[in-house]
Amino acid sequence: ENVLTQSPATLSLSPGERATLSCRASQSVSSYLAWYQQKPGQAPRLLIYDASNRATGIPARFSGSGSGTDFTLTISSLEPEDFAVYYCQQCTNWPITFGQGTRLEIK
Amino acid sequence: QLQLQESGPGLVKPSETLSLTCTVSGGSISSSNCYWGWIRQPPGKGLEWIGSIHSSGPTYYNPSLKSRVTIFVDTSKNQFSLRLSSVTAADTTVYYCARHTSYRPFDYWGQGTLVTVSS
């Protein structure tokens, strides 16, 4: 099983600041890494696929990078609606696995 | 626009079988190269993939749940279903159905349904 480890567990920032979230895989996933945003009471929303491609309708302030085992989600300038939990997911191998999540909270 | 909707009992007794159905609208469940999956999330915790079924039939399950899980498709109703046997309180979670394709993430999700295991 490919274990995904996200860091930090919690990130406290203010609106307008830059957020950098990390996801590390125990085995290479090439570029088949996705990021989701989840708000309370809602299903996860796909943000990034193939490590760096924004899903339909996702604002340009969200960007992804990385390949192999190390990946980063960057939010260039935080908006109030960006405070949520973020998950990474690998799409390379069965079983499909998710990271444990990073909670982005308002400072 | 593809839409998915979970349905099923919100309360299941311990040791019984949990059964949920996901109804797909706005597209065919038989679409080539599509996988239809189930994911669950305990309240306040992270996401756990349960399993997926390919539009052509093969199934893939999380090894941690494999002995208790069955996923199957009913193409006549454009639905796919989850059965989880011998449930315990640890199976009390929100269950989501979702679609993905090969090497791609879950792009369409249901709203989720909370299932509580309790006598």
Side-chain angles (χ1 to χ4, degrees):
Chain A
E1 173 175 318
N2 199 340
V3 177
L4 302 184
T5 302
Q6 292 186 239
S7 61
T10 303
L11 186 57
S12 300
L13 293 170
S14 300
E17 290 192 294
R18 181 184 187 91
T20 303
L21 288 68
S22 174
C23 177
R24 174 166 290 179
S26 62
Q27 307 166 37
S28 176
V29 300
S30 183
S31 294
Y32 299 117
L33 192 285
W35 291 93
Y36 299 88
Q37 177 193 68
Q38 189 180 33
K39 297 181 179 179
Q42 297 182 15
R45 177 174 72 143
L46 178 63
L47 297 176
I48 301 287
Y49 66 95
D50 290 353
S52 61
N53 294 312
R54 279 188 301 276
T56 302
I58 301 304
R61 64 180 181 273
F62 291 91
S63 64
S65 63
S67 65
T69 60
D70 290 298
F71 299 87
T72 300
L73 174 69
T74 301
I75 310 172
S76 59
S77 179
L78 286 165
E79 298 288 341
E81 62 267 27
D82 298 336
F83 293 92
V85 180
Y86 292 83
Y87 295 95
C88 58
Q89 179 222 326
Q90 63 86 14
C91 314
T92 304
N93 310 109
W94 304 104
I96 291 171
T97 50
F98 293 90
Q100 82 279 16
T102 290
R103 180 177 303 277
L104 179 55
E105 63 177 27
I106 299 177
K107 187 173 181 179
Chain B
Q1 177 79 351
L2 199 67
Q3 293 187 322
L4 289 78
Q5 177 70 58
E6 305 90 351
S7 60
L11 181 64
V12 181
K13 290 182 168 56
S15 80
E16 294 190 344
T17 296
L18 178 160
S19 296
L20 294 174
T21 295
C22 183
T23 301
V24 179
S25 58
S28 172
I29 203 167
S30 300
S31 298
S32 61
N33 202 33
C34 281
Y35 291 86
W36 305 95
W38 290 95
I39 302 100
R40 69 180 187 175
Q41 183 174 38
K45 297 191 176 180
L47 300 163
E48 179 182 35
W49 172 73
I50 299 171
S52 298
I53 185 166
H54 192 264
S55 52
S56 65
T59 53
Y60 303 84
Y61 298 132
N62 189 323
S64 68
L65 297 168
K66 186 174 183 177
S67 63
R68 299 193 292 130
V69 172
T70 304
I71 297 175
F72 57 95
V73 168
D74 185 339
T75 54
S76 67
K77 295 181 179 179
N78 224 35
Q79 296 175 334
F80 64 105
S81 297
L82 167 71
R83 287 187 181 154
L84 181 66
S85 64
S86 305
V87 297
T88 69
D91 297 310
T92 294
T93 82
V94 174
Y95 289 80
Y96 295 100
C97 60
R99 186 200 83 156
H100 64 111
T101 56
S102 291
Y103 297 101
R104 290 292 184 274
F106 297 97
D107 50 3
Y108 292 95
W109 293 69
Q111 65 185 25
T113 187
L114 174 63
V115 178
T116 301
V117 178
S118 175
S119 55

